Structures are given as structure tokens and as C-alpha cells.
Amino acid sequence: MTFDPCPVTPVAELVFGKWTTQVLWTLAHHGRTRFTELQRLVPAITPKVLAQRLRQMERDGLVGRTYHAEMPPRVEYEMTPLARTLLPVFHTLVDWSDTHLGEVERARERYDAAL
Amino acid sequence: MTFDPCPVTPVAELVFGKWTTQVLWTLAHHGRTRFTELQRLVPAITPKVLAQRLRQMERDGLVGRTYHAEMPPRVEYEMTPLARTLLPVFHTLVDWSDTHLGEVERARERYDAAL
């Protein structure tokens, strides 16, 4: 009998894919944000990848997109109520990180020293 | 001022990297497990990738490795106490998933229908 591998994986892939967490965290702290501002706040992400990620997160129901038909047109992104339900999960992870990430560093030092 | 992108990302990369979550979840439910048994329980992962992931998780202090000098030699893997501290985080994610993953599916249907 193959054990059902893991019920965590689907949500981990949804939320903790590359850049998704950073974009959500930035929107959580900046509220409604324009594309160019998001680029400035997450400088390591390229415009092309940011656009792809935002489209995917919009499709997943995690990001809302508002188009302002002005000259030039203006587009803003924000967390949806569904995305906001993830904030307690994020804080749980930050707490774990504050408490335990140091232990990971020490484990790595021990492992490397024993090589 | 570039905003500190995200304190969640380091732990997300540590714990929710490809296969890491599945291996931890399987060890959590099966206790000390041999390599070949892990392969059987997580059939989609190749032996080479499983070996790499286990080495990385051992280095990160999340997996303990026990070598039995028998003929043939036997190697077993298990969660470390540090990894066990992640189980409440996993259950938080499973709860979120049970409650909200359906909303993600419906958002995707709406998005695709509007294309």
C-alpha cells in the first residue's frame, strides 16, 4: 500500500513556490501596490517573472488586480481576503524561524566540519 | 528604501522545497525508515534525488541517519527532534488546506472561464 504521500504539498506548492511568498508578504505590508512599486520592493525578481507570478496568483484567487483606464493606464495589485487567511500561517513560520533557524545553521556547521 | 522582502522565505525554502515536505511527512508517519522503504512510500521521487534530498536534510539537521554495519549494510532515516517541531506548522497548513483549497479551485475556474 503506497501511503498517501503528503497533504501539505499542494498548499506548499501554492503558497511557497518561488517568489509567491515574497510577493504576498510585500502586499501584506504595503496594501494595494502598483507593478513598478512591487518591482522596487522585490528587486531580485525580473519584470517578466513578476508578471507571470501575479497572473498565477490572480488565477489562484490570492491576488486581486485593479485596472485604471487612465492615460497612461494604471494597474494595482492587492491581497484578496483568501490570501489574508494565510497570514496566521506566515506568522507561525516566522515564529518557528526565529526559534529554530539557528539550530539549522549549527547543524550545517557540524555536518560540514565532519566531512 | 527596499523593504526587507520576506522573513518567511528562508524557512519556506528549507522546509517546502521540492520533496522535502513529502519526505518529512512520510518519516513523521512511519518513524525510522529504510531508504528502499522511503522509495516505496514516495514512488514519484527517483533514488538519486531521494539520496540528495536526504543528505541535504541531514545537513539541515532535519533528518537523522543510522548506519548498521551488517552484511549487507543497512541505513535508516528518521525525523530529528528539530524536525518534529515543524509538525504543528504542517498541521496548520493542512487545516488551511482543508478549509480553503476549494476556494482556490473555484477561483481558477472563474479565471479560466473569463479568458
Side-chain angles (χ1 to χ4, degrees), chain A residues 16-29:
Chain A
F16 301 114
K18 187 129 177 83
W19 302 115
T20 307
T21 317
Q22 279 187 299
V23 171
L24 281 177
W25 185 266
T26 303
L27 290 176
H29 285 75

Side-chain angles (χ1 to χ4, degrees), chain A residues 71-84:
Chain A
M71 280 311 291
R74 188 159 51 93
V75 180
E76 291 177 320
Y77 297 91
E78 60 191 314
M79 278 186 123
T80 60
L82 175 59
R84 291 208 166 279

